[in-house]
Amino acid sequence: MRRFLLAAAMFATTTCVQAADMPDFLRGGYAPVPAVRNWDGWYVGGQASYSVANINLGQTEQSLIDFILRNTIIQGPVDTLTVLGRHHEQSFGYGAFVGRNWQWEDVVLGVEANYIHINGLTASESNFIARRFDNPPGSTLPAGHTDEFNVAVSGTARLQIKDAMTFRGRAGWVCGDFLPYMFGGLAVGRIAAMRSASVTVVETDINNTVSPATTTLVSVLSGSASDGRSNTYAPGWTAGLGTEMAIFGNLFARVEWEYIRFVNVKGMQSEMNSAHLGVGYKF
């Protein structure tokens, strides 16, 4: 999809260049060249979208596990465990945009606010991992003893991107009836996020100075923690490319590709690529 949008923008630009370089007799002899289309002014529109999100839940549980194991010697080794993974999710959506263009001959600069409501862009996972750690840093057992820790960690996480709003600066170049442009700016996402973690640690003293070795239970630690929010607003940034095409009068169509990267929410990383197809009206 991104390749298609890039190709559309390149086609519009190439069409403009070819038209500008065309000999006079191919443009109708000595007929006057049409005036540059006016894109100056306010505009509004609606759009449909198709979004693909990469969501990484790998660091989601770390702060919860650190809280459960705080002030213990096993906290550091358990920090190296990754319970959850990465997800690739897709969804359709719809939205609207409003903006203002300023035009100087072929150059168009502008600002725009763009909103997309996303249906069902959700990643969720539950997983379990168990590991054994012997003699972690800080262990104080006598020589010839093994300080054995058997650790079991389970985690659950869920992240949903509900809406995305961007505030962009735009720069475009008039190419006949086309306006290819690029943009960049700030983004805000409305996100629902929840997570939970449970940890069980069994510490055993293995005495290797006798034969056969003896095993003594030292301690058992078990705990859980969870948190979440149904609505949190995550800032981020956006960039992309697009092309607008005049249809008739002040009505125009647009196609664009947009990339959005949000800050981490509850340790969850998310980024989104979207294709937008819209129709607008310039006042």
Side-chain angles (χ1 to χ4, degrees), residues 148-215:
E148 179 185 280
F149 289 82
N150 287 287
V151 179
V153 180
S154 62
T156 299
R158 181 179 184 273
L159 182 140
Q160 178 187 7
I161 303 175
K162 297 181 176 181
D163 306 276
M165 189 165 188
T166 59
F167 303 92
R168 316 163 165 184
R170 302 202 317 163
W173 184 267
V174 180
C175 297
D177 288 336
F178 291 90
L179 177 65
Y181 60 89
M182 57 184 174
F183 62 86
L186 302 177
V188 178
R190 186 167 66 99
I191 293 175
M194 63 78 60
R195 58 179 181 166
S196 64
S198 297
V199 183
T200 300
V201 180
V202 178
E203 181 184 7
T204 304
D205 175 10
I206 301 176
N207 184 357
N208 301 301
T209 63
V210 297
S211 184
T214 60
T215 300

Side-chain angles (χ1 to χ4, degrees), residues 214-226:
T214 60
T215 300
T216 304
L217 178 65
V218 176
S219 65
V220 177
L221 170 63
S222 182
S224 61
S226 64

Side-chain angles (χ1 to χ4, degrees), residues 111-127:
V111 293
E112 179 179 302
N114 193 296
Y115 168 79
I116 290 292
H117 175 75
I118 305 166
N119 296 314
L121 194 59
T122 304
S124 61
E125 183 182 357
S126 296
N127 202 7

